Amino acid sequence: MKVFNTLSKTKQEFVPLEENKVKMYVCGPTVYNFIHIGNARPMIVFDTVRRYFEYKGYDVNFVSNFTDVDDKIIKRAIEEGVSSEEISKRYIAECKKDMEGMNIKPATKHPLATEEIDGMIEMIGQLIEKGFAYEKNGTVYFRTRKFGEYGKLSHKNLDDLRSGERSLLVTGEDEKEDALDFVLWKPKKEGEPFWESPWSQGRPGWHIECSVMSKKYLGEQIDIHAGGEDLVFPHHENEIAQSEAANGKEFSKYWMHNAFLNIDNHKMSKSLGNFRTVREISGQYDLQVLRFFMLSAHYRSPLNFSADLMEASKSGLERIVNAADHLKFLTGNAKSETMTEAEKALFGKTGEFVEGFEHAMEDDFNTADAVAAVFELVKYINTNTDEGSSKEYLGKMLDLLKKLTDVLGLIVDRKEEILDSDIEELIRERQEARKAKDFARADAIRDELLEKGIILKDTREGVQWKRA
Ligand code: AMP
Ligand code: ZN
Protein backbone atom coordinates (compact mmCIF):
# COMPACT_ATOMS: atom_id res chain seq x y z
CA MET A 1 0.00 0.00 0.00
CA LYS A 2 1.39 3.38 -0.98
CA VAL A 3 0.91 6.49 1.13
CA PHE A 4 1.99 9.99 0.16
CA ASN A 5 4.13 11.22 3.02
CA THR A 6 4.42 15.01 3.42
CA LEU A 7 7.77 14.41 5.16
CA SER A 8 9.41 12.89 2.07
CA LYS A 9 7.03 14.44 -0.48
CA THR A 10 6.79 11.01 -2.12
CA LYS A 11 4.48 8.03 -2.14
CA GLN A 12 5.99 5.46 0.20
CA GLU A 13 5.18 1.83 0.88
CA PHE A 14 3.21 1.63 4.12
CA VAL A 15 5.11 -0.40 6.71
CA PRO A 16 3.46 -0.34 10.16
CA LEU A 17 5.50 0.05 13.33
CA GLU A 18 3.84 -3.07 14.70
CA GLU A 19 2.58 -5.85 12.49
CA ASN A 20 -1.11 -5.60 11.62
CA LYS A 21 -1.57 -2.47 13.71
CA VAL A 22 -2.06 1.15 12.73
CA LYS A 23 -1.73 3.98 15.22
CA MET A 24 -3.30 7.07 13.75
CA TYR A 25 -3.92 10.60 15.06
CA VAL A 26 -6.08 13.16 13.25
CA CYS A 27 -6.22 16.77 14.44
CA GLY A 28 -9.84 17.54 15.20
CA PRO A 29 -11.86 20.75 15.06
CA THR A 30 -11.90 23.70 17.41
CA VAL A 31 -15.40 23.62 18.82
CA TYR A 32 -16.88 27.12 18.85
CA ASN A 33 -19.51 26.69 16.14
CA PHE A 34 -21.13 24.08 13.93
CA ILE A 35 -18.46 22.42 11.81
CA HIS A 36 -18.25 23.61 8.22
CA ILE A 37 -17.95 21.48 5.13
CA GLY A 38 -14.20 22.23 4.99
CA ASN A 39 -13.77 20.60 8.40
CA ALA A 40 -15.80 17.66 7.10
CA ARG A 41 -13.21 16.90 4.41
CA PRO A 42 -10.45 15.55 6.71
CA MET A 43 -13.09 13.76 8.79
CA ILE A 44 -14.47 11.89 5.77
CA VAL A 45 -11.09 11.32 4.12
CA PHE A 46 -9.31 9.91 7.16
CA ASP A 47 -12.33 7.87 8.24
CA THR A 48 -12.12 6.25 4.79
CA VAL A 49 -8.38 5.65 5.25
CA ARG A 50 -9.17 3.99 8.56
CA ARG A 51 -11.91 1.87 7.01
CA TYR A 52 -9.57 0.67 4.26
CA PHE A 53 -6.93 -0.38 6.79
CA GLU A 54 -9.64 -2.25 8.68
CA TYR A 55 -10.81 -3.90 5.46
CA LYS A 56 -7.22 -5.08 4.99
CA GLY A 57 -7.32 -6.65 8.44
CA TYR A 58 -5.37 -4.04 10.42
CA ASP A 59 -6.32 -3.24 13.97
CA VAL A 60 -6.59 0.57 13.86
CA ASN A 61 -6.21 2.70 16.96
CA PHE A 62 -7.70 5.98 15.75
CA VAL A 63 -7.43 9.05 17.97
CA SER A 64 -8.92 12.43 17.12
CA ASN A 65 -9.13 15.32 19.55
CA PHE A 66 -11.50 18.20 20.10
CA THR A 67 -9.73 21.50 20.75
CA ASP A 68 -11.95 22.79 23.53
CA VAL A 69 -9.87 25.69 24.86
CA ASP A 70 -9.07 28.45 22.41
CA ASP A 71 -9.44 32.20 21.82
CA LYS A 72 -12.41 31.67 19.48
CA ILE A 73 -14.27 29.60 22.06
CA ILE A 74 -13.60 32.22 24.75
CA LYS A 75 -14.80 34.99 22.42
CA ARG A 76 -18.01 33.15 21.64
CA ALA A 77 -18.59 32.44 25.36
CA ILE A 78 -18.21 36.16 26.18
CA GLU A 79 -20.60 37.10 23.36
CA GLU A 80 -23.23 34.72 24.68
CA GLY A 81 -22.54 35.42 28.34
CA VAL A 82 -21.93 31.73 29.12
CA SER A 83 -18.89 29.67 30.10
CA SER A 84 -16.34 28.39 27.56
CA GLU A 85 -17.20 24.91 28.71
CA GLU A 86 -20.83 25.40 27.77
CA ILE A 87 -19.82 26.47 24.25
CA SER A 88 -17.38 23.61 23.69
CA LYS A 89 -19.73 20.96 25.14
CA ARG A 90 -22.56 22.21 22.93
CA TYR A 91 -20.53 22.13 19.73
CA ILE A 92 -18.88 18.81 20.48
CA ALA A 93 -22.38 17.32 20.77
CA GLU A 94 -23.44 19.01 17.52
CA CYS A 95 -20.25 17.86 15.77
CA LYS A 96 -20.92 14.27 16.82
CA LYS A 97 -24.41 14.47 15.30
CA ASP A 98 -22.93 15.70 12.01
CA MET A 99 -20.33 12.94 12.11
CA GLU A 100 -23.04 10.36 12.55
CA GLY A 101 -24.91 11.79 9.56
CA MET A 102 -21.76 11.50 7.46
CA ASN A 103 -21.28 7.92 8.73
CA ILE A 104 -17.94 8.74 10.34
CA LYS A 105 -17.00 6.11 12.88
CA PRO A 106 -16.39 7.42 16.37
CA ALA A 107 -12.65 7.45 17.10
CA THR A 108 -11.23 4.83 19.44
CA LYS A 109 -10.71 7.88 21.67
CA HIS A 110 -11.77 11.52 21.28
CA PRO A 111 -9.61 13.30 23.88
CA LEU A 112 -10.47 16.80 25.06
CA ALA A 113 -7.60 19.24 25.53
CA THR A 114 -9.06 20.52 28.83
CA GLU A 115 -8.94 17.01 30.31
CA GLU A 116 -5.27 16.51 29.50
CA ILE A 117 -3.70 19.59 31.10
CA ASP A 118 -1.58 17.56 33.57
CA GLY A 119 0.12 15.75 30.70
CA MET A 120 0.81 19.07 29.00
CA ILE A 121 2.39 20.55 32.13
CA GLU A 122 4.53 17.44 32.39
CA MET A 123 5.78 17.60 28.80
CA ILE A 124 6.47 21.34 29.04
CA GLY A 125 8.46 20.63 32.23
CA GLN A 126 10.52 17.99 30.39
CA LEU A 127 11.22 20.40 27.55
CA ILE A 128 12.44 23.05 29.99
CA GLU A 129 14.65 20.49 31.71
CA LYS A 130 16.20 19.45 28.40
CA GLY A 131 16.84 23.06 27.41
CA PHE A 132 14.24 23.06 24.63
CA ALA A 133 11.97 25.56 26.39
CA TYR A 134 12.23 28.59 28.67
CA GLU A 135 9.94 30.71 30.79
CA LYS A 136 9.53 34.52 30.63
CA ASN A 137 7.02 36.29 32.86
CA GLY A 138 4.75 33.28 33.19
CA THR A 139 4.86 32.37 29.49
CA VAL A 140 6.79 29.30 28.34
CA TYR A 141 8.30 29.29 24.84
CA PHE A 142 9.78 26.51 22.74
CA ARG A 143 13.39 27.24 21.74
CA THR A 144 12.96 26.52 18.05
CA ARG A 145 16.59 26.98 16.98
CA LYS A 146 17.66 24.24 19.35
CA PHE A 147 15.65 21.67 17.41
CA GLY A 148 18.00 21.05 14.48
CA GLU A 149 15.42 19.44 12.22
CA TYR A 150 12.91 22.28 12.43
CA GLY A 151 11.34 22.77 9.00
CA LYS A 152 11.64 19.13 7.89
CA LEU A 153 7.89 18.62 7.41
CA SER A 154 6.99 21.90 5.74
CA HIS A 155 10.29 21.83 3.80
CA LYS A 156 10.89 25.38 4.91
CA ASN A 157 14.36 26.64 5.00
CA LEU A 158 15.25 28.08 8.41
CA ASP A 159 17.10 30.96 6.79
CA ASP A 160 13.97 31.90 4.84
CA LEU A 161 11.97 31.67 8.01
CA ARG A 162 14.51 33.85 9.78
CA SER A 163 14.48 36.47 7.06
CA GLY A 164 10.70 36.63 7.44
CA GLU A 165 11.03 36.74 11.22
CA ARG A 166 9.06 39.88 11.68
CA SER A 167 5.91 38.35 10.24
CA LEU A 168 6.16 35.59 12.86
CA LEU A 169 6.16 38.04 15.73
CA VAL A 170 2.91 38.17 17.65
CA THR A 171 2.08 41.32 19.60
CA GLY A 172 3.11 41.01 23.20
CA GLU A 173 5.68 38.32 22.46
CA ASP A 174 8.70 40.61 22.04
CA GLU A 175 10.27 39.09 25.13
CA LYS A 176 11.03 35.92 23.15
CA GLU A 177 14.67 34.97 22.64
CA ASP A 178 13.94 34.41 18.97
CA ALA A 179 11.07 35.29 16.66
CA LEU A 180 10.73 31.62 15.65
CA ASP A 181 10.00 30.52 19.23
CA PHE A 182 6.40 29.57 19.89
CA VAL A 183 4.21 29.42 22.97
CA LEU A 184 3.81 26.26 25.06
CA TRP A 185 2.05 27.86 28.02
CA LYS A 186 0.51 31.32 28.42
CA PRO A 187 -0.80 33.20 31.45
CA LYS A 188 -4.53 33.83 31.67
CA LYS A 189 -6.11 37.13 30.82
CA GLU A 190 -8.99 38.49 32.90
CA GLY A 191 -12.05 36.26 32.62
CA GLU A 192 -10.33 33.44 30.75
CA PRO A 193 -10.38 29.80 31.85
CA PHE A 194 -7.11 28.83 33.53
CA TRP A 195 -5.20 26.03 35.23
CA GLU A 196 -2.48 26.13 37.88
CA SER A 197 1.05 25.45 36.62
CA PRO A 198 4.61 25.98 37.89
CA TRP A 199 4.87 29.04 35.59
CA SER A 200 1.56 30.86 35.91
CA GLN A 201 -2.18 30.43 36.14
CA GLY A 202 -2.89 29.97 32.47
CA ARG A 203 -3.53 27.60 29.62
CA PRO A 204 -1.54 25.56 27.10
CA GLY A 205 -0.65 26.58 23.56
CA TRP A 206 -2.50 24.75 20.79
CA HIS A 207 0.47 22.72 19.46
CA ILE A 208 1.43 21.07 22.74
CA GLU A 209 -2.11 19.72 23.11
CA CYS A 210 -1.79 17.34 20.16
CA SER A 211 1.75 16.20 21.07
CA VAL A 212 0.50 15.21 24.51
CA MET A 213 -2.81 13.61 23.53
CA SER A 214 -1.14 11.58 20.79
CA LYS A 215 1.50 10.33 23.22
CA LYS A 216 -0.99 9.46 25.93
CA TYR A 217 -3.37 7.45 23.74
CA LEU A 218 -1.02 6.07 21.07
CA GLY A 219 2.48 6.13 22.54
CA GLU A 220 5.65 8.03 21.67
CA GLN A 221 5.76 6.77 18.08
CA ILE A 222 2.81 6.52 15.76
CA ASP A 223 2.23 5.40 12.20
CA ILE A 224 0.13 8.22 10.76
CA HIS A 225 -0.55 11.79 11.79
CA ALA A 226 -3.07 13.64 9.66
CA GLY A 227 -5.06 16.81 9.09
CA GLY A 228 -5.79 19.52 6.53
CA GLU A 229 -2.87 21.01 4.58
CA ASP A 230 -3.11 24.32 6.46
CA LEU A 231 -1.86 22.44 9.53
CA VAL A 232 1.53 21.51 8.00
CA PHE A 233 2.99 24.80 9.15
CA PRO A 234 3.22 25.79 11.89
CA HIS A 235 0.98 23.30 13.75
CA HIS A 236 2.46 19.98 12.66
CA GLU A 237 5.99 21.33 12.34
CA ASN A 238 5.73 22.48 15.95
CA GLU A 239 4.20 19.18 17.09
CA ILE A 240 7.21 17.36 15.62
CA ALA A 241 9.64 19.71 17.35
CA GLN A 242 7.94 19.28 20.74
CA SER A 243 7.40 15.52 20.58
CA GLU A 244 10.80 14.62 19.16
CA ALA A 245 12.63 16.96 21.54
CA ALA A 246 10.76 15.53 24.54
CA ASN A 247 10.75 11.84 23.58
CA GLY A 248 14.01 11.60 21.62
CA LYS A 249 12.30 9.49 18.95
CA GLU A 250 10.73 10.00 15.55
CA PHE A 251 7.16 11.07 16.26
CA SER A 252 5.15 9.88 13.26
CA LYS A 253 6.32 7.76 10.32
CA TYR A 254 3.78 9.14 7.84
CA TRP A 255 2.18 12.58 7.67
CA MET A 256 -0.95 12.84 5.55
CA HIS A 257 -2.64 16.09 4.55
CA ASN A 258 -5.84 16.71 2.65
CA ALA A 259 -6.13 19.62 0.22
CA PHE A 260 -8.66 22.37 0.81
CA LEU A 261 -12.31 22.46 -0.04
CA ASN A 262 -13.23 25.64 -1.93
CA ILE A 263 -16.67 26.94 -2.62
CA ASP A 264 -17.75 28.18 -6.05
CA ASN A 265 -14.04 28.36 -6.86
CA HIS A 266 -13.23 30.68 -3.98
CA LYS A 267 -11.52 29.96 -0.73
CA MET A 268 -14.21 29.25 1.82
CA SER A 269 -14.06 31.66 4.71
CA LYS A 270 -16.28 33.35 7.20
CA SER A 271 -15.24 36.82 6.11
CA LEU A 272 -16.22 36.17 2.50
CA GLY A 273 -19.61 35.00 3.72
CA ASN A 274 -19.42 31.86 1.57
CA PHE A 275 -19.23 29.62 4.55
CA ARG A 276 -21.47 26.52 4.68
CA THR A 277 -22.00 24.34 7.72
CA VAL A 278 -22.57 20.62 7.50
CA ARG A 279 -25.85 21.21 9.31
CA GLU A 280 -27.07 23.57 6.57
CA ILE A 281 -26.21 20.98 3.92
CA SER A 282 -28.13 18.35 5.88
CA GLY A 283 -31.27 20.46 5.32
CA GLN A 284 -30.85 20.05 1.56
CA TYR A 285 -29.24 16.66 1.14
CA ASP A 286 -28.75 13.41 2.93
CA LEU A 287 -25.21 13.76 4.35
CA GLN A 288 -24.31 10.58 2.50
CA VAL A 289 -24.37 12.76 -0.62
CA LEU A 290 -21.79 15.07 0.95
CA ARG A 291 -19.64 12.06 1.76
CA PHE A 292 -19.94 10.75 -1.78
CA PHE A 293 -19.05 14.20 -3.11
CA MET A 294 -15.88 14.38 -0.96
CA LEU A 295 -14.74 10.93 -2.10
CA SER A 296 -15.27 11.69 -5.77
CA ALA A 297 -11.92 13.54 -5.77
CA HIS A 298 -8.47 12.50 -4.62
CA TYR A 299 -7.87 13.82 -1.11
CA ARG A 300 -4.73 15.70 -2.18
CA SER A 301 -6.52 17.61 -4.94
CA PRO A 302 -8.35 20.83 -4.17
CA LEU A 303 -12.08 20.25 -4.40
CA ASN A 304 -14.69 22.77 -5.36
CA PHE A 305 -18.08 22.69 -3.70
CA SER A 306 -20.91 23.65 -6.02
CA ALA A 307 -24.61 22.95 -6.43
CA ASP A 308 -23.93 21.15 -9.73
CA LEU A 309 -21.39 18.79 -8.22
CA MET A 310 -23.71 18.04 -5.32
CA GLU A 311 -26.53 17.20 -7.75
CA ALA A 312 -24.16 14.94 -9.70
CA SER A 313 -23.14 13.25 -6.43
CA LYS A 314 -26.77 12.76 -5.50
CA SER A 315 -27.52 10.93 -8.73
CA GLY A 316 -24.26 8.95 -8.53
CA LEU A 317 -25.14 7.70 -5.07
CA GLU A 318 -28.69 7.00 -6.21
CA ARG A 319 -27.38 4.68 -8.94
CA ILE A 320 -25.61 2.56 -6.34
CA VAL A 321 -28.57 2.54 -3.94
CA ASN A 322 -30.91 1.60 -6.83
CA ALA A 323 -28.72 -1.38 -7.70
CA ALA A 324 -28.89 -2.57 -4.09
CA ASP A 325 -32.67 -2.05 -4.05
CA HIS A 326 -33.02 -4.00 -7.26
CA LEU A 327 -31.02 -6.91 -5.82
CA LYS A 328 -33.23 -6.96 -2.74
CA PHE A 329 -36.37 -6.88 -4.86
CA LEU A 330 -35.14 -9.77 -7.02
CA THR A 331 -34.13 -11.75 -3.92
CA GLY A 332 -37.66 -11.38 -2.52
CA ASN A 333 -39.09 -12.90 -5.70
CA ALA A 334 -36.36 -15.40 -6.55
CA LYS A 335 -37.58 -18.89 -7.42
CA SER A 336 -34.37 -20.85 -6.93
CA GLU A 337 -32.08 -21.00 -3.91
CA THR A 338 -28.60 -22.07 -4.95
CA MET A 339 -26.19 -20.77 -7.56
CA THR A 340 -25.99 -22.45 -10.93
CA GLU A 341 -22.65 -23.19 -12.58
CA ALA A 342 -23.26 -20.26 -14.94
CA GLU A 343 -23.89 -17.93 -11.99
CA LYS A 344 -20.72 -19.17 -10.29
CA ALA A 345 -18.78 -18.21 -13.39
CA LEU A 346 -20.48 -14.81 -13.56
CA PHE A 347 -19.80 -14.13 -9.90
CA GLY A 348 -16.18 -15.19 -10.39
CA LYS A 349 -15.74 -12.33 -12.82
CA THR A 350 -16.54 -9.72 -10.15
CA GLY A 351 -12.99 -10.31 -8.87
CA GLU A 352 -11.74 -7.83 -11.42
CA PHE A 353 -13.84 -5.03 -9.90
CA VAL A 354 -12.55 -5.84 -6.43
CA GLU A 355 -9.04 -5.77 -7.80
CA GLY A 356 -9.67 -2.42 -9.47
CA PHE A 357 -11.08 -1.08 -6.22
CA GLU A 358 -8.16 -2.28 -4.13
CA HIS A 359 -5.63 -1.13 -6.67
CA ALA A 360 -7.08 2.39 -6.50
CA MET A 361 -7.14 2.42 -2.69
CA GLU A 362 -3.59 1.02 -2.46
CA ASP A 363 -2.41 3.93 -4.58
CA ASP A 364 -2.52 6.55 -1.84
CA PHE A 365 -6.26 6.11 -1.29
CA ASN A 366 -7.46 7.13 -4.72
CA THR A 367 -11.13 7.15 -3.78
CA ALA A 368 -12.13 8.70 -7.13
CA ASP A 369 -10.94 5.57 -8.94
CA ALA A 370 -12.34 3.35 -6.20
CA VAL A 371 -15.79 4.92 -6.77
CA ALA A 372 -15.35 4.27 -10.52
CA ALA A 373 -14.69 0.58 -9.75
CA VAL A 374 -17.91 0.47 -7.69
CA PHE A 375 -19.80 1.94 -10.65
CA GLU A 376 -18.41 -0.78 -12.89
CA LEU A 377 -19.60 -3.39 -10.43
CA VAL A 378 -23.03 -1.74 -10.36
CA LYS A 379 -23.21 -1.88 -14.16
CA TYR A 380 -22.18 -5.53 -14.09
CA ILE A 381 -24.82 -6.32 -11.46
CA ASN A 382 -27.52 -4.55 -13.44
CA THR A 383 -26.74 -6.44 -16.63
CA ASN A 384 -26.16 -9.86 -15.07
CA THR A 385 -29.07 -10.29 -12.68
CA ASP A 386 -32.78 -10.77 -13.42
CA GLU A 387 -35.97 -12.54 -12.31
CA GLY A 388 -34.39 -15.91 -13.05
CA SER A 389 -31.36 -15.38 -10.72
CA SER A 390 -30.96 -17.55 -7.63
CA LYS A 391 -31.15 -16.19 -4.10
CA GLU A 392 -27.61 -17.25 -3.33
CA TYR A 393 -26.22 -15.44 -6.38
CA LEU A 394 -28.19 -12.27 -5.68
CA GLY A 395 -27.16 -12.38 -2.03
CA LYS A 396 -23.48 -12.69 -2.94
CA MET A 397 -23.74 -9.74 -5.31
CA LEU A 398 -25.38 -7.60 -2.63
CA ASP A 399 -22.79 -8.62 -0.01
CA LEU A 400 -19.98 -7.69 -2.36
CA LEU A 401 -21.50 -4.33 -3.21
CA LYS A 402 -21.94 -3.61 0.50
CA LYS A 403 -18.42 -4.74 1.33
CA LEU A 404 -16.92 -2.19 -1.05
CA THR A 405 -19.31 0.67 -0.32
CA ASP A 406 -18.75 0.11 3.39
CA VAL A 407 -15.03 0.86 2.93
CA LEU A 408 -16.10 4.21 1.49
CA GLY A 409 -18.56 4.62 4.38
CA LEU A 410 -21.49 4.79 1.96
CA ILE A 411 -24.72 3.22 3.13
CA VAL A 412 -26.63 1.50 0.34
CA ASP A 413 -29.70 0.57 2.38
CA ARG A 414 -32.42 3.06 1.60
CA LYS A 415 -33.63 4.93 4.65
CA GLU A 416 -37.07 3.89 5.77
CA GLU A 417 -39.72 6.28 4.54
CA ILE A 418 -41.69 7.84 7.36
CA LEU A 419 -45.41 8.47 6.90
CA ASP A 420 -46.96 11.91 7.39
CA SER A 421 -49.22 10.57 10.16
CA ASP A 422 -46.22 9.20 12.08
CA ILE A 423 -44.47 12.55 11.78
CA GLU A 424 -47.53 14.37 13.16
CA GLU A 425 -47.70 11.90 16.03
CA LEU A 426 -44.03 12.42 16.92
CA ILE A 427 -44.47 16.21 16.77
CA ARG A 428 -47.42 15.92 19.17
CA GLU A 429 -45.32 13.81 21.49
CA ARG A 430 -42.52 16.37 21.32
CA GLN A 431 -44.90 19.17 22.29
CA GLU A 432 -46.08 17.12 25.28
CA ALA A 433 -42.47 16.49 26.32
CA ARG A 434 -41.72 20.21 26.10
CA LYS A 435 -44.74 21.06 28.21
CA ALA A 436 -43.52 18.57 30.80
CA LYS A 437 -40.07 20.23 30.57
CA ASP A 438 -38.58 16.93 29.38
CA PHE A 439 -36.24 18.68 26.95
CA ALA A 440 -34.02 15.66 26.50
CA ARG A 441 -36.97 13.69 25.11
CA ALA A 442 -38.07 16.66 22.98
CA ASP A 443 -34.56 16.96 21.49
CA ALA A 444 -34.37 13.21 20.93
CA ILE A 445 -37.59 13.34 18.91
CA ARG A 446 -36.30 16.25 16.82
CA ASP A 447 -33.08 14.31 16.13
CA GLU A 448 -34.98 11.14 15.29
CA LEU A 449 -37.02 13.07 12.74
CA LEU A 450 -33.93 14.78 11.35
CA GLU A 451 -32.35 11.38 10.85
CA LYS A 452 -35.33 10.48 8.70
CA GLY A 453 -34.93 13.67 6.71
CA ILE A 454 -37.66 15.66 8.46
CA ILE A 455 -36.84 19.21 9.46
CA LEU A 456 -38.87 20.93 12.15
CA LYS A 457 -39.38 24.66 12.42
CA ASP A 458 -40.91 26.19 15.53
CA THR A 459 -43.06 29.16 14.56
CA ARG A 460 -45.60 31.30 16.39
CA GLU A 461 -48.34 29.38 14.63
CA GLY A 462 -46.97 26.08 15.88
CA VAL A 463 -44.53 23.49 14.57
CA GLN A 464 -44.04 23.27 10.83
CA TRP A 465 -42.19 20.44 9.13
CA LYS A 466 -40.72 19.66 5.75
CA ARG A 467 -38.88 16.83 4.08
CA ALA A 468 -35.20 17.50 3.30
P1 AMP B 1 -9.88 23.86 12.66
O1 AMP B 1 -11.15 23.73 13.43
O2 AMP B 1 -9.75 25.14 11.91
O3 AMP B 1 -8.67 23.54 13.50
O4 AMP B 1 -9.91 22.74 11.51
C1 AMP B 1 -10.16 21.37 11.74
C2 AMP B 1 -9.68 20.58 10.54
O5 AMP B 1 -10.36 21.01 9.34
C3 AMP B 1 -8.19 20.76 10.22
O6 AMP B 1 -7.65 19.50 9.83
C4 AMP B 1 -8.18 21.74 9.07
O7 AMP B 1 -7.03 21.60 8.28
C5 AMP B 1 -9.41 21.29 8.31
N1 AMP B 1 -9.97 22.33 7.42
C6 AMP B 1 -10.39 23.58 7.77
N2 AMP B 1 -10.87 24.25 6.69
C7 AMP B 1 -10.77 23.41 5.62
C8 AMP B 1 -11.12 23.49 4.23
N3 AMP B 1 -11.70 24.59 3.70
N4 AMP B 1 -10.87 22.41 3.45
C9 AMP B 1 -10.31 21.29 3.96
N5 AMP B 1 -9.97 21.13 5.26
C10 AMP B 1 -10.19 22.18 6.09
ZN1 ZN C 1 -3.14 18.91 16.08
Side-chain angles (χ1 to χ4, degrees):
M1 193 186 310
K2 292 256 191 307
V3 177
F4 185 91
N5 190 350
T6 309
L7 263 179
S8 64
K9 281 187 163 175
T10 57
K11 280 186 204 170
Q12 283 173 240
E13 189 58 34
F14 179 77
V15 184
L17 287 164
E18 247 180 276
E19 211 177 328
N20 281 326
K21 290 199 171 144
V22 179
K23 288 186 267 189
M24 189 167 173
Y25 186 96
V26 181
C27 293
T30 308
V31 278
Y32 66 102
N33 202 340
F34 287 100
I35 56 162
H36 60 66
I37 52 177
N39 301 137
R41 191 170 190 194
M43 287 180 178
I44 292 171
V45 161
F46 298 116
D47 177 62
T48 307
V49 167
R50 168 195 189 168
R51 284 168 181 267
Y52 189 68
F53 277 119
E54 286 173 347
Y55 166 88
K56 294 291 283 183
Y58 285 94
D59 175 10
V60 185
N61 192 347
F62 188 99
V63 177
S64 189
N65 67 299
F66 285 112
T67 299
D68 64 343
V69 56
D70 176 87
D71 289 343
K72 293 189 215 105
I73 301 174
I74 295 168
K75 183 164 170 269
R76 177 93 193 219
I78 292 168
E79 278 164 14
E80 287 194 24
V82 298
S83 67
S84 294
E85 198 186 350
E86 187 169 334
I87 297 290
S88 58
K89 284 235 160 74
R90 182 198 305 160
Y91 290 111
I92 287 170
E94 298 296 356
C95 177
K96 286 187 173 170
K97 282 185 207 163
D98 289 337
M99 286 170 68
E100 204 184 315
M102 295 185 287
N103 199 24
I104 291 163
K105 287 186 176 191
T108 318
K109 174 76 189 175
H110 281 289
L112 304 184
T114 55
E115 290 176 1
E116 309 291 343
I117 305 286
D118 288 350
M120 296 173 203
I121 292 173
E122 193 185 320
M123 191 182 273
I124 296 170
Q126 284 168 354
L127 288 168
I128 294 178
E129 223 166 85
K130 291 188 172 186
F132 282 104
Y134 57 93
E135 185 253 346
K136 283 262 169 84
N137 300 319
T139 303
V140 183
Y141 296 100
F142 187 86
R143 191 173 271 130
T144 304
R145 279 171 204 265
K146 188 163 161 79
F147 185 68
E149 291 178 282
Y150 194 78
K152 70 174 171 179
L153 180 72
S154 51
H155 306 278
K156 283 188 191 296
N157 180 315
L158 274 197
D159 294 332
D160 290 348
L161 281 175
R162 274 170 201 147
S163 63
E165 273 177 4
R166 264 195 293 155
S167 64
L168 289 165
L169 271 179
V170 176
T171 359
E173 289 187 2
D174 25 12
E175 62 194 5
K176 292 196 289 195
E177 287 176 4
D178 187 306
L180 293 180
D181 296 350
F182 57 89
V183 168
L184 299 173
W185 184 268
K186 57 185 158 199
K188 67 170 183 189
K189 289 197 201 105
E190 199 46 46
E192 287 184 352
F194 67 90
W195 289 264
E196 296 292 340
S197 83
W199 317 289
S200 58
Q201 291 183 326
R203 61 186 162 105
W206 173 36
H207 317 301
I208 195 77
E209 296 175 6
C210 289
S211 282
V212 168
M213 292 185 275
S214 178
K215 179 175 176 175
K216 174 154 174 197
Y217 295 103
L218 295 171
E220 291 180 346
Q221 285 191 291
I222 68 172
D223 294 290
I224 299 175
H225 196 118
E229 65 183 4
D230 58 323
L231 299 188
V232 174
F233 187 85
H235 186 53
H236 287 165
E237 195 70 66
N238 290 355
E239 278 190 44
I240 291 178
Q242 298 162 155
S243 294
E244 299 192 357
N247 305 326
K249 288 189 187 134
E250 184 182 42
F251 178 24
S252 177
K253 272 183 95 172
Y254 304 88
W255 288 82
M256 295 179 70
H257 295 98
N258 63 274
F260 253 46
L261 179 76
N262 297 321
I263 192 159
D264 295 322
N265 290 315
H266 293 285
K267 194 180 157 73
M268 189 173 66
S269 81
K270 269 195 166 166
S271 53
L272 289 169
N274 57 1
F275 195 83
R276 306 284 294 273
T277 63
V278 170
R279 196 57 60 88
E280 272 174 77
I281 301 301
S282 76
Q284 279 176 289
Y285 293 99
D286 184 328
L287 289 177
Q288 286 284 296
V289 175
L290 184 67
R291 181 162 187 133
F292 185 92
F293 159 76
M294 297 281 185
L295 298 178
S296 61
H298 190 274
Y299 75 92
R300 284 188 293 111
S301 305
L303 177 59
N304 188 49
F305 181 87
S306 71
D308 286 353
L309 285 175
M310 282 299 280
E311 283 303 314
S313 301
K314 188 177 172 184
S315 43
L317 184 62
E318 195 62 23
R319 251 163 77 197
I320 304 174
V321 174
N322 281 342
D325 267 358
H326 187 59
L327 286 172
K328 285 183 217 163
F329 171 78
L330 291 177
T331 308
N333 295 296
K335 294 190 184 61
S336 60
E337 290 291 328
T338 45
M339 284 214 272
T340 61
E341 286 307 313
E343 285 179 334
K344 279 185 195 160
L346 280 173
F347 187 73
K349 287 202 184 136
T350 57
E352 78 182 72
F353 307 117
V354 177
E355 242 172 65
F357 180 89
E358 290 185 1
H359 185 260
M361 293 300 280
E362 306 264 321
D363 182 16
D364 190 31
F365 308 97
N366 189 337
T367 54
D369 285 359
V371 167
V374 171
F375 277 143
E376 283 184 37
L377 174 65
V378 162
K379 201 164 125 200
Y380 187 82
I381 288 173
N382 290 342
T383 46
N384 291 293
T385 55
D386 59 26
E387 289 76 10
S389 304
S390 70
K391 260 193 195 155
E392 191 188 359
Y393 174 67
L394 295 165
K396 279 187 126 139
M397 286 293 197
L398 185 59
D399 286 350
L400 178 61
L401 182 63
K402 282 193 178 176
K403 192 172 164 194
L404 299 190
T405 49
D406 189 52
V407 174
L408 301 174
L410 299 171
I411 300 168
V412 295
D413 290 319
R414 203 176 280 287
K415 284 197 181 136
E416 243 177 81
E417 283 290 334
I418 179 165
L419 298 173
D420 287 9
S421 55
D422 291 337
I423 298 171
E424 305 282 359
E425 181 52 39
L426 279 168
I427 290 176
R428 255 194 304 279
E429 204 186 309
R430 177 168 169 264
Q431 296 300 77
E432 291 297 316
R434 282 173 139 196
K435 254 191 234 153
K437 299 221 175 325
D438 183 356
F439 297 112
R441 176 69 191 136
D443 283 351
I445 294 174
R446 190 198 54 209
D447 293 345
E448 186 186 330
L449 285 167
L450 193 63
E451 180 119 320
K452 296 192 166 116
I454 307 301
I455 298 160
L456 300 187
K457 196 171 162 203
D458 293 307
T459 70
R460 251 187 252 172
E461 288 73 41
V463 184
Q464 291 174 352
W465 64 268
K466 64 170 186 188
R467 289 182 195 271

